[in-house]
Amino acid sequence: MLDLGIDLNMWPWVWLGIAVFFAIIELTVLAGTFVLLPFSISAFAASLLGFYDVPIEYQWLMFVGGGAALWVFLYRYAKRFAGENEMSPGVGADRVVGLTAIVTAAIDPDDTDRRGRVSVQGEVWGALTELDTPLAEGSKVRVTSVNGTRVVVEPLDFSAPSPPTSPPGPSTPNPTPPSPSPPPSAPSAGETT
């Protein structure tokens, strides 16, 4: 018998105490991770069985079996829910990585005062640079990463030569050859030239 030496009339209160204890632990210590919640619910159900004088073996079965079944169900639901609600790339603070920004307050490489600022798509961010040169106000930069609440930027490289619009050297000849002029027509009979 599974009564553990406790009076059978006390078991409903024991189950109720276990249910409340597990619920408090779930809410305070485990911060809503749903580890003990299924067993809290099954202990409450076992206490209801106890109040209706159901044999103690069924109360234990409800507590252990019902808690395990609820735990498996909640685990599968939580796993599916977490998989569906993962943040896709480009969501959150990382969405600004790779975008062009304009320096609104000069960025010092040492930046001990944390004054460097950039504007990215209308949002103002604190900014850092990993380069040794300061970035002046008004310069265009690219966001390379996010470091906490600040973005790490690098200057845009405009020193790369642009492709020429026309090939260098003398002007190119006309690609269509000139059409030949028609041959002079021969005088017809009766015409004088």
Side-chain angles (χ1 to χ4, degrees):
M1 199 161 187
L2 296 172
D3 64 2
L4 301 176
I6 299 174
D7 182 24
L8 291 178
N9 293 330
M10 291 299 295
W11 271 106
W13 298 104
V14 170
W15 292 125
L16 196 56
I18 291 173
V20 170
F21 178 72
F22 280 3
I24 290 172
I25 295 298
E26 177 71 40
L27 293 173
T28 57
V29 177
L30 299 177
T33 57
F34 299 113
V35 174
L36 288 179
L37 180 66
F39 292 100
S40 176
I41 293 170
S42 66
F44 180 74
S47 74
L48 291 177
L49 293 177
F51 283 122
Y52 285 105
D53 294 326
V54 174
I56 191 69
E57 291 82 10
Y58 292 117
Q59 294 174 34
W60 273 98
L61 183 63
M62 173 59 73
F63 174 65
V64 175
L70 278 173
W71 191 89
V72 168
F73 173 75
L74 283 177
Y75 175 77
R76 286 185 178 175
Y77 176 76
K79 189 175 176 181
R80 186 184 76 209
F81 181 76
E84 292 173 354
N85 293 315
E86 288 182 4
M87 287 198 321
S88 60
V91 175
D94 289 335
R95 75 187 181 287
V96 298
V97 174
L99 296 179
T100 302
I102 297 179
V103 178
T104 58
I107 303 170
D108 182 19
D110 298 326
D111 199 17
T112 55
D113 297 329
R114 297 182 177 249
R115 293 185 181 176
R117 298 279 183 264
V118 295
S119 175
V120 184
Q121 291 186 338
E123 297 177 2
V124 177
W125 286 77
L128 302 168
T129 184
E130 294 176 345
L131 304 175
D132 294 332
T133 58
L135 300 172
E137 184 176 338
S139 60
K140 288 188 176 185
V141 293
R142 179 185 316 19
V143 178
T144 58
S145 64
V146 178
N147 186 0
T149 59
R150 301 172 81 191
V151 293
V152 179
V153 297
E154 65 183 11
L156 285 177
D157 188 14
F158 287 114
S159 62
S162 60
T165 55
S166 63
S171 64
T172 56
N174 189 357
T176 58
S179 60
S181 58
S185 61
S188 57
E191 278 187 33
T192 59
T193 56

